Amino acid sequence: MKEVRKGMLVVISGPSGTGKGTLCNRLLHNDTSLRFSVSVTTRARREGEIDGVHYHFISEQKYDELLKQDCFLEHATVHGHRYGTLEAPVDEGIEKGHNILLDIDPQGAISVMDKRPDCVSIFILPPSYEALRVRLHTRNTDDPEEIKRRLKNARGEVEKLSRYQYAVVNDDLQMAYEKLSHIISAEKQRTNRYFPTIEDF
Ligand code: ADP
Ligand code: 5GP
């Protein structure tokens, strides 16, 4: 049996604090076919974040240069900061047969869906806005003003839900992880990216 697989793009979005990062880390830990797409951002680095691992933290000037050189698969201003996905590393990963995980906002996600219609798009919902508020405060990475801004933006983001192929509510973390994992497993078996050949007699 010979198996050839084309890599796929998995786009994950959802309001800030809904648990995307937590779920992505679990997926990356348990599925060696997945690679995280490290975005560039002009926002300040949070404590514990590593440049080149969580984001490429860059200046506004460098961001403008990348824009001018047309280096982005997608880019957007989110909660007042600029973020973008570099196209070259995504394409290199897919060419190698990896499945590339993008944790990006709905503006960027919709651009990717338009540009790469074969991508897999998944929206992560919180069980309630109150749970979202609690999670953002418990995470303790953003000041109260930033949390207020993120909560306010959450409603507009959820309105984009119907653009996505899949929705997963992150209430119980393990259950949400399992649902995500099943979606990715099924998507890997699609015949437009999975080419098994069985041996003859
Ligand atoms: P995002 O990446 O979407 O902004 P995070 O992954 O940083 O969100 O999660 C926000 C906070 O919520 C973190 O403190 C995380 O530990 C917590 N969290 C994630 N999933 C759950 C869950 N199912 N139940 C309770 N807390 C959760
Ligand atoms: P945070 O600042 O909490 O890391 O991320 C804030 C938001 O920006 C999240 O919704 C996250 O998904 C989104 N984001 C992160 N990287 C990118 C990116 O490259 N492009 C877009 N469009 N959004 C991104």
Side-chain angles (χ1 to χ4, degrees), residues 43-113:
R43 88 147 159 73
R45 197 171 62 81
R46 292 177 186 142
E47 211 185 303
E49 283 182 334
I50 302 164
D51 190 28
V53 174
H54 299 96
Y55 283 105
H56 299 289
F57 295 96
I58 61 168
S59 64
E60 297 287 345
Q61 191 193 346
K62 177 75 186 164
Y63 190 100
D64 286 334
E65 274 172 33
L66 292 171
L67 256 181
K68 222 162 98 188
Q69 291 162 9
D70 203 18
C71 292
F72 291 124
L73 169 62
E74 63 73 37
H75 59 91
T77 298
V78 190
H79 315 310
H81 308 287
R82 297 200 287 174
Y83 299 82
T85 304
L86 295 171
E87 192 156 29
V90 165
D91 286 341
E92 280 161 24
I94 288 177
E95 219 151 274
K96 286 183 191 153
H98 298 149
N99 298 312
I100 311 293
L101 203 55
L102 268 60
D103 170 352
I104 62 174
D105 92 305
Q107 306 168 73
I110 290 166
S111 305
V112 175
M113 291 173 210

Side-chain angles (χ1 to χ4, degrees), residues 99-167:
N99 298 312
I100 311 293
L101 203 55
L102 268 60
D103 170 352
I104 62 174
D105 92 305
Q107 306 168 73
I110 290 166
S111 305
V112 175
M113 291 173 210
D114 290 341
K115 264 177 132 167
R116 307 283 176 102
D118 59 342
C119 75
V120 180
S121 55
I122 310 169
F123 197 94
I124 313 290
L125 289 153
S128 68
Y129 286 110
E130 176 55 16
L132 196 59
R133 191 187 67 77
V134 171
R135 284 181 195 178
L136 282 171
H137 281 280
T138 311
R139 188 172 71 182
N140 201 24
T141 50
D142 301 289
D143 62 49
E145 267 314 300
E146 180 75 27
I147 290 181
K148 231 163 110 183
R149 173 154 56 167
R150 287 174 182 239
L151 283 171
K152 192 167 156 249
N153 292 342
R155 285 172 166 77
E157 291 175 332
V158 171
E159 277 172 20
K160 304 284 190 314
L161 174 67
S162 64
R163 293 294 310 264
Y164 291 72
Q165 293 165 318
Y166 297 98

Side-chain angles (χ1 to χ4, degrees), residues 14-23 46 103 127 135-136 138-140 150 170-174 176:
S16 183
T18 203
K20 302 179 298 294
T22 309
L23 287 163
R46 292 177 186 142
D103 170 352
R135 284 181 195 178
L136 282 171
T138 311
R139 188 172 71 182
N140 201 24
R150 287 174 182 239
N170 180 21
D171 191 351
D172 177 80
L173 183 63
Q174 182 59 21

